[in-house]
Amino acid sequence: LERPVAALNAPSFSSTSPRESDGTNDKGRAMRIKRHKAVRKTLKFFQVNFGFRQPYKILVDGNFIHAVLTTGNGDVESTLSKLLMGSVRAFTTRYTLHELQSLGSEYKATLAAARRLERHKCSFDGKVDTASECMKSEIGTRNESHFFVATQDKDLQKYLSKVSVVPIIFKGVNGVSLLKPALTLKNSVNKASMARMGVQQYEKETAVMKELVDERYGQRQIAKRKKKAKGPNPLSVKKKTVKGAAHRPSCGSE
């Protein structure tokens, strides 16, 4: 018997789905979820301990803008907003624009993208020569303006991680990411949180701290000593009987 034409042309279905046969999509999704969790954890660290809030202010240098554009990630500000899962304000400086202008036509698109960002006036304008020096001076040692820094400059990343409290954004192989806080910064935060819980034992042993501890806790002890115990409940106390008053004869016995 001949098979029908429709049966001959019917597609054959495999018992395994494309997702089961190829796990690359699942692997990529798992990696993205892992990166998002790491970003959330780092963001929470800077929010809780140092007061970083939306809209996040980000100083962006030319090499980061160029890295984002050449890899097809799209608009710089929208890429940063997607990474930080919130509203952002991306800034560049005139030093960054001058550096991009000096690099020629190859960086023409990068220069145009940098000009679309807000321009931040460096506090040390005229006293620095490069974009990295401008960022270093603007961040300082305390980063009071709560800036993020987006850069591909490894030396600048290391410098800022050591001397200041600043979240650093970079473009990696798997996309734009947020650098984890330095170990020294984590340790200082842990020490500060422990100190807020009370005076440390080694501090109590110093002469100055001993006086402070005695002054603080000694008053509490004195106050406790001044508290006197309350008297007994009068209802529970047995009344005293007068001697000779007992067994007095009644009138009917006379």
Side-chain angles (χ1 to χ4, degrees), residues 195 198-210 213:
V199 182
Q200 301 300 308
Q201 185 62 36
Y202 73 90
E203 292 177 331
K204 292 180 181 179
E205 295 174 359
T206 62
V208 176
M209 289 305 301
K210 190 175 181 180
V213 171

Side-chain angles (χ1 to χ4, degrees), residues 9 13 37 49 70 73 96 128 131 164 189:
N9 296 332
F13 294 95
K37 286 183 178 179
N49 296 296
T70 53
N73 285 94
T96 297
V128 295
S164 188
V189 168

Side-chain angles (χ1 to χ4, degrees), residues 60-65 67 99 130-133 135-136 149-161 168-171 179:
V60 185
D61 66 359
N63 52 36
F64 178 83
I65 298 173
E99 287 183 355
T130 63
S132 61
E133 290 178 358
M135 287 188 173
K136 289 178 182 178
V149 170
T151 180
Q152 299 296 100
D153 190 338
K154 298 292 184 182
D155 294 334
L156 181 60
Q157 292 176 8
K158 291 179 181 178
Y159 174 84
L160 293 176
S161 297
I168 298 173
I169 300 171
F170 67 99
K171 173 67 176 66
L179 198 66

